[in-house]
Amino acid sequence: MTLIRLGPDGLRASRFALSPLAETLSLLIALRCEIDRGRPGPEAQALAGWLDRDPFAAGLLRLVSATKFLPDFVAIPPSSMTTRIDDELARMRAVPDHVARATIAESRRFAWMPGGIAWADPDGVTTSAAAVFARGWQWFVEPDWPRRRAVMERDIRHRAGVLAAHGWRQAIDGIGKIRWAGPDAILFSTQTHADLSIGDEGLVLVPHTGTSGQWMCEAPPRFALVYPARGALEHLHVAAEGVAKLIGEGRARILAALADPTTSSQLAVLLGVSLGTVSGHLATLRDAGAVVGRRSGRAVYYERTSLGDALATHLG
């Protein structure tokens, strides 16, 4: 098994961050898996057409979607809540070709699908990789970034609240498949690899909006753990039946989205509707006793009551 070892200084310095690159990687892997399953949606079909025309992109995405060891240059630790995709891609391009090819070969050792790495032979490996992720960002992630960011920020706010009240053990609970394995260690994987020792720069926790997938980003002494956020985008769909028909699909979608406390502005972004529409639905749900608003600083966060929770369990 693989442990992440955190001493007191490492725990104190640990924090949350956002990564447009990690979000792009997560979505490209999900779309590539859709293609492999033979049931591609419109975005996966667009990706398939691109990969048919670009052997480098096809080889890279085949590898990262079928390995337990991501090449280091695609798994770059972010540092803050304001990380920019341009900065992450610049760091990717700065990795020398010989280093990139070495980590590609290591990644291939842990792949569970066949595939060569001849696509990585030409010069400019990381420049080409950065171009792949730049296009993936522009085509598939950037148009929906505000909504994706809202999901991730809501996850971080939830975990930060748990952290303040109970500490890191409870805040990390429910992140992917990891669990505490001792007073100073987190079990990251059941695979046998070298343990990771986190120093005084701490561990950076980075959510993404996919429903699964977690990985480490390593650039010692900096380490980041990427994990699926609570309330991922795929969970916001509500079938127009049962309780949803009774209370209305708009109000049902809001109840579904309130798995964690959320502001009206965040709900508008998450659901792709106007703030006025959200405010009207929230007023109705509040009057019915299904939601309640609680002020935190200058913002009001809405959450479900016990009645709201009961209704939400019956949403399709």
Side-chain angles (χ1 to χ4, degrees), residues 1-5 179-182 185-196:
M1 62 183 179
T2 305
L3 298 178
I4 302 172
R5 296 196 174 276
R179 60 178 176 82
W180 284 91
I186 299 169
L187 176 62
F188 171 70
S189 172
T190 56
Q191 302 291 317
T192 302
H193 302 297
D195 291 349
L196 301 175

Side-chain angles (χ1 to χ4, degrees), residues 18 20 22-24 26-28 30-31 43 137 140-155 207-211 229-234 236 269-270:
L18 295 179
E23 181 69 6
T24 304
S26 168
L27 183 57
L28 289 176
L31 294 177
E43 287 187 328
W137 161 261
F140 303 117
V141 179
E142 186 177 22
D144 199 29
W145 179 245
R147 192 163 66 113
R148 293 174 180 278
R149 184 182 183 112
V151 169
M152 293 183 283
E153 288 178 338
R154 189 172 61 164
D155 173 272
H208 68 86
T209 65
T211 55
R230 292 162 51 92
L233 290 173
E234 289 79 356
L236 298 181
V269 172
L270 287 168

Side-chain angles (χ1 to χ4, degrees), residues 237-285:
H237 173 75
V238 172
E241 56 188 30
V243 168
K245 276 191 174 181
L246 178 65
I247 66 174
E249 185 178 354
R251 288 184 281 276
R253 292 181 71 210
I254 286 176
L255 276 182
L258 287 177
D260 293 314
T262 310
T263 68
S264 55
S265 297
Q266 288 174 332
L267 285 169
V269 172
L270 287 168
L271 301 176
V273 297
S274 71
L275 183 58
T277 297
V278 167
S279 297
H281 288 324
L282 283 172
T284 301
L285 291 169

